[in-house]
Amino acid sequence: MTKKVSGGYNGKILRVDLSANTIATEVIDELFCRKYLGGAGFVTYFLWKELQSGIDPLSPDNKLVFALGPLTGGPLPGGGRNCVGAKSPLTGGIAKSEVGGFWGAELKRAGFDAVIIEGISPKPVYLWVHDGEVTIRDAGHLWGKNTKETQASIRAELEDDKVRVASIGPGGENLVKYACIMNGLYDAVGRGGLGAVMGSKKLKAVVVKGHKAPKIADPERVKALRQWLQANMQLVQNFREFGTGAAMEVYETVGNLPVRNFRDGLFPGVKNIDAPTIKNTIRIRMDACFGCPIRCKKVVQVEEPYAVDPAYGGPEYETLAALGSNCGIDNLKAIAKGNELCNAYSLDTISAGSVIAFAMECFEKGLLSSQDTNGIELRFGNDEVIPKLIELIARREGIGDFLAEGVARMAQKIGRGSEEFGIQVKGLEAGMHEPRLKPGLGLGFMVNPHGADHECNLHDTLYVGGRPLEELKPLGILEPVPVDDIGPRKVGLFRLVQLVKIVFDSLVVCEFFPYNPEQLADATAAVTGWDTGVLEQLRVAERILTMARLFNIREGFSAADDRLPRRFFQSTNDGALADKPLDPAKMEKAKSYYYTLMGWDATTGIPTPEKLEELDLI
Amino acid sequence: MTKKVSGGYNGKILRVDLSANTIATEVIDELFCRKYLGGAGFVTYFLWKELQSGIDPLSPDNKLVFALGPLTGGPLPGGGRNCVGAKSPLTGGIAKSEVGGFWGAELKRAGFDAVIIEGISPKPVYLWVHDGEVTIRDAGHLWGKNTKETQASIRAELEDDKVRVASIGPGGENLVKYACIMNGLYDAVGRGGLGAVMGSKKLKAVVVKGHKAPKIADPERVKALRQWLQANMQLVQNFREFGTGAAMEVYETVGNLPVRNFRDGLFPGVKNIDAPTIKNTIRIRMDACFGCPIRCKKVVQVEEPYAVDPAYGGPEYETLAALGSNCGIDNLKAIAKGNELCNAYSLDTISAGSVIAFAMECFEKGLLSSQDTNGIELRFGNDEVIPKLIELIARREGIGDFLAEGVARMAQKIGRGSEEFGIQVKGLEAGMHEPRLKPGLGLGFMVNPHGADHECNLHDTLYVGGRPLEELKPLGILEPVPVDDIGPRKVGLFRLVQLVKIVFDSLVVCEFFPYNPEQLADATAAVTGWDTGVLEQLRVAERILTMARLFNIREGFSAADDRLPRRFFQSTNDGALADKPLDPAKMEKAKSYYYTLMGWDATTGIPTPEKLEELDLI
């Protein structure tokens, strides 16, 4: 509790122009670091400040920003992550996505806090960053290779099997609109098509290695936080035992499990694909990100009928639902294979699964014919199509080329009412949770600048089911707010949780750690030496979220884009939500109140000049 | 950092109906304590919930509420205070005022967290609360006595010279609109005329004694906070050495010192009346409130020409300015005498000084004649009038009866433009700081539910001059906000500081302690066992402030009442503000943005239904 004003903390940015073949480093000062924190904050800042409006996301004008936070690579668990962002080829708005693994920690040790990639290389290259040294290396021999081959080749040629590789596979190279970037082989910068941006730049990989341990201002304070966590591991017991996906059976019962493109509710096969079943069948071990005591990552192995390489880890909940229940599939091995292929080819499993589910419904409705699908029987439950389609999508072959465009563009082309069941917001396919069960999540899907991100669910699990009310008390919520409430109380809480999540994403620390807002500020102070606090971090988060809003407005987005697909205003065919459509009037009212709380115009959603000034944004 | 949900904390209320001669106790549960915290929160809640609108503040319908907070009487320094509130006879709106001393801590030890006084006693009484036992005792023999005599008599008859006495003198008995309640002999429940409410109820004193030490959930955590404070006493060094009023010379230079009813700026005599001079002349020692290591309270003694009894302490800054520079008086002994008399008669020194200054200006302008003033030469700088007028006011004799009504009523009666220099908001005479120098303070004067309370200055010293920028960083303010700025940045900061101050007032802990928001939450958690945090406390503060707003609206107040007297839109005659009037358009804009940030209608200032629901107020 000593008061220190400044810890001498600052940051270093690596800026690489692939068109000009130039490399530069820039120091960012302490005030900048404090105003934008890191991770999502840095990414949003650079995209907002440096991109021109209206640019083609796959052109040299786009920039791909990798950013770390003050906790990255430090002794506090949860700090193995990094954030990546760009203008999204999928949504046309701002994209950013956080990812686990070891890459972020390693970049920090290599001496950088952010990497900004500009321009387009005339030929495939990869970036090699080691202990402050940076080289652009030829990647011609790697182009076309999957992520495992890529990582192995690079490690071989650099003669170091510990270098950390963030790379793309054919999905990114072929500009699949929802291609991801893989940290190692099973941690994905998943959402928004950032792998396509990387592919457009002919950047196969960013490879990092470093030896400089991050400076810690107050090691004793860090130790106290570690000890607290150690003493409270029971709070993450479920993640430790099962990883994600432990509660799928309950989800199905209460109506949180998407089934057949969010059309149905009942899915008796859920028991075949959930995390406990995985543990008892195909799981061979659990793995962890950098310095993490939770170890929530499944590693699975399958021999037949689909050979699934454990090098690619195993399916998380979002994947289990997206490639599983949401496609009507309860064949765990098929899902595991789909997961492996997405990781190999660098495809976002959520978007891939959503695209397939959408195509299945179109096929069953006769909006896509066998001719359209190259003879593939695109029916719900047909698990054989999963690996087949992922291959086609990654290579943009046949129907895959169409599916590579994402649900929004597909629906636009198909027309005939298909938009109504195209489950996306702003072009981003929705995460695998049910807004009809949790209208707070629905609001998140609506107003999130990046679209219907699965991370929006964290806004809601915090106060619905996922965590006990006790953990909400630090947020000032002392009495239960009903799950189906979407009144002002829920909206106020939603906004608060959303802002706290931006703090997580900017620090960039894993949300699975049950840090409360005080502890996030405490951790920041311990590492940076800043006398920071919850109110400062909330203000930073508000600044970041408003910048993202401004980015989208500059690209032509309006309040009309903050809307859910029509399906959510209809009931599911069966299950717990058979009589529970969302009320559009209530959702619009909630949206308007959210705008008000954010200091945005209640109707247009445009930040008021006063709010911009208050947040130092003008 | 252990997580505890509930500490089993709750509270006990003593409810006394003086009309019915009944005494009852009520338990308030933990959720209630957590939602309203204590002090200002409890007071505001009970007044909002229990008072009928439109009642006469001096009728049996009014209630006088004394409330403690979770830190009161505990081992953490700054916890010797209590809050008192009622419908104000001065403003007609909600009044509440915090006070130091020992009374609050003693009430806690006597087993209560709040006392609610209802009705009117047929004859003078006092309340005797000791270790959970309560009796209503005759005070016929005390009526008419000053506070020193009262305290001495009560201690004698209870045969305990350690009982703590909150009492009124003749000022309260005679229903002077700005009569105060004295904790002991030199700690005043100063603002809003709460002493008159007590007088109207024929309640001479509330006397307390107890032996039950408050429960502490986590003594180790309390110890850590104490140690931090011990190690950071340099932050309050000025208060330790001089008490309040150390910087008056600087105030005069920069334009923060009110001179001659806020008319002028230059006041060369300031050096005769400031705290360093007091230290070197009439000060005989410093004194402290319950358990306080700062010891900021001056005790002065004077023999001639005015005999000043050290039993009544010494003048604080507000008194030095109100009875001194603002009346054009630089005779320290006259001011000390005035202070003594106000404490003896239970008159608020700020309102008393303001009333005299206003009368002086009226007299000099010919709006009051010698006939009106019983021949008193009511001219600025005439120090002889100070003791004379205070005597008359307390007894409501002659001109004193008129002056006892307060500036707003006087101006209304005098008319002829006098309202323009009646320095009050909502009827409460302004604290002794300059809104023309600090428009943030001006906004505080405008929107504070209790009127132009001197405490509003704390909102502003936090970010202007009083404390270094470093201390604002926990509030998220990383770059200086200019003192004369009243744009959105300042308004946002003002609101935040205002809410944090409500946390101080509800806990009820002394603002001189440099606790940051995290430490306030930490202290609360340590004492109560709640897993509370900054966001919860901010939400509680928002709830309390909005309830106070609702109270005033119920009494007919509107946005039009959130306005400064015209004088502040004119320059001072000389000094630093000779060319610095406030800009009315800017102040109105700031007010409107403040309403917006509070979730109140930007024009009417009425809380929106959504905000009320969000705050659990409907």
Side-chain angles (χ1 to χ4, degrees), chain A residues 376-418:
Chain A
I376 299 172
E377 277 294 295
L378 256 181
R379 294 192 184 280
F380 286 122
N382 182 1
D383 56 68
E384 288 174 7
V385 308
I386 296 290
K388 206 175 292 180
L389 283 178
I390 291 172
E391 296 272 2
L392 293 175
I393 291 167
R395 309 198 183 284
R396 276 189 177 270
E397 287 173 12
I399 179 78
D401 191 40
F402 182 52
L403 267 55
E405 291 297 294
V407 166
R409 285 175 176 80
M410 288 166 67
Q412 199 174 20
K413 195 148 178 204
I414 293 169
R416 289 180 286 167
S418 63

Side-chain angles (χ1 to χ4, degrees), chain A residues 480-499:
Chain A
V481 184
V483 59
D484 59 353
D485 185 355
I486 190 61
R489 219 178 315 236
K490 177 67 72 69
V491 176
L493 180 54
F494 164 78
R495 173 175 170 270
L496 213 51
V497 178
Q498 188 190 32
L499 292 176

Side-chain angles (χ1 to χ4, degrees), chain B residues 489-549:
Chain B
R489 218 178 317 236
K490 176 67 71 72
V491 175
L493 180 54
F494 164 78
R495 172 175 171 271
L496 214 51
V497 177
Q498 188 190 33
L499 292 175
V500 172
K501 181 167 167 7
I502 291 172
V503 176
F504 270 99
D505 290 346
S506 298
L507 281 177
V508 198
V509 66
C510 176
E511 288 98 346
F512 286 180
F513 287 86
Y515 295 132
N516 66 29
E518 270 74 11
Q519 289 169 318
L520 291 175
D522 196 32
T524 310
V527 168
T528 60
W530 301 336
D531 182 26
T532 186
V534 173
L535 298 180
E536 176 177 327
Q537 298 213 318
L538 225 62
R539 190 172 146 85
V540 168
E542 210 186 341
R543 183 180 292 130
I544 294 166
L545 185 53
T546 300
M547 279 195 301
R549 183 90 189 164

Side-chain angles (χ1 to χ4, degrees), chain B residues 225-479:
Chain B
L225 268 164
R226 282 177 63 95
Q227 283 169 343
W228 173 83
L229 195 72
Q230 206 59 44
N232 289 275
M233 288 301 277
Q234 82 284 356
L235 293 170
V236 292
Q237 197 47 51
N238 237 21
F239 286 134
R240 303 191 88 188
E241 188 169 353
F242 298 111
T244 58
M248 289 176 74
E249 206 175 355
V250 177
Y251 280 10
E252 196 251 4
T253 307
V254 300
N256 192 47
L257 186 74
V259 179
R260 296 179 200 90
N261 199 36
F262 284 86
R263 187 191 69 191
D264 303 337
L266 295 178
F267 192 68
V270 65
K271 196 61 204 127
N272 302 329
I273 64 172
D274 67 3
T277 297
I278 295 176
K279 183 184 177 190
N280 295 328
T281 57
I282 63 175
R283 200 175 98 184
I284 58 169
R285 66 171 186 274
M286 296 296 273
D287 202 357
C289 295
F290 172 82
C292 176
I294 298 184
R295 306 185 67 81
C296 77
K297 301 196 286 189
K298 310 172 194 75
V299 177
V300 305
Q301 185 166 19
V302 180
E303 304 298 338
E304 51 73 41
Y306 304 104
V308 177
D309 185 347
Y312 287 109
E316 300 300 334
Y317 166 71
E318 294 288 333
T319 308
L320 293 167
L323 296 176
S325 60
N326 204 39
C327 290
I329 290 171
D330 63 1
N331 180 338
L332 179 58
K333 293 177 177 178
I335 297 167
K337 183 66 188 176
N339 180 67
E340 178 217 62
L341 291 176
C342 282
N343 289 353
Y345 299 154
S346 75
L347 295 178
D348 174 24
T349 57
I350 301 173
S351 285
S354 301
V355 157
I356 295 171
F358 176 68
M360 284 172 163
E361 185 162 352
C362 287
F363 187 85
E364 291 197 353
K365 280 197 161 83
L367 302 175
L368 286 176
S369 68
S370 288
Q371 202 175 347
D372 294 323
T373 65
N374 317 111
I376 299 173
E377 278 293 294
L378 256 181
R379 296 193 183 279
F380 285 123
N382 182 1
D383 55 69
E384 288 175 5
V385 309
I386 295 290
K388 204 174 293 181
L389 284 177
I390 292 172
E391 296 272 2
L392 294 175
I393 291 167
R395 310 199 181 285
R396 278 189 176 269
E397 286 173 13
I399 177 79
D401 191 40
F402 183 52
L403 268 54
E405 291 297 294
V407 166
R409 285 176 175 80
M410 288 166 67
Q412 201 176 17
K413 194 148 180 204
I414 294 169
R416 288 180 288 167
S418 64
E419 298 89 346
E420 299 196 358
F421 57 88
I423 309 299
Q424 52 80 22
V425 179
K426 296 187 182 65
L428 187 74
E429 290 77 15
M432 294 293 121
H433 296 268
E434 251 297 353
R436 281 168 290 199
L437 174 68
K438 303 186 284 193
L441 165 67
L443 180 61
F445 280 170
M446 289 163 79
V447 301
N448 181 35
H450 318 99
D453 198 325
H454 65 299
E455 295 272 299
C456 297
N457 190 54
L458 286 165
H459 305 161
D460 212 48
T461 44
L462 279 172
Y463 50 97
V464 178
R467 293 186 179 185
L469 181 65
E470 284 65 33
E471 289 190 40
L472 295 177
K473 288 195 176 170
L475 300 178
I477 302 304
L478 304 173
E479 292 161 295

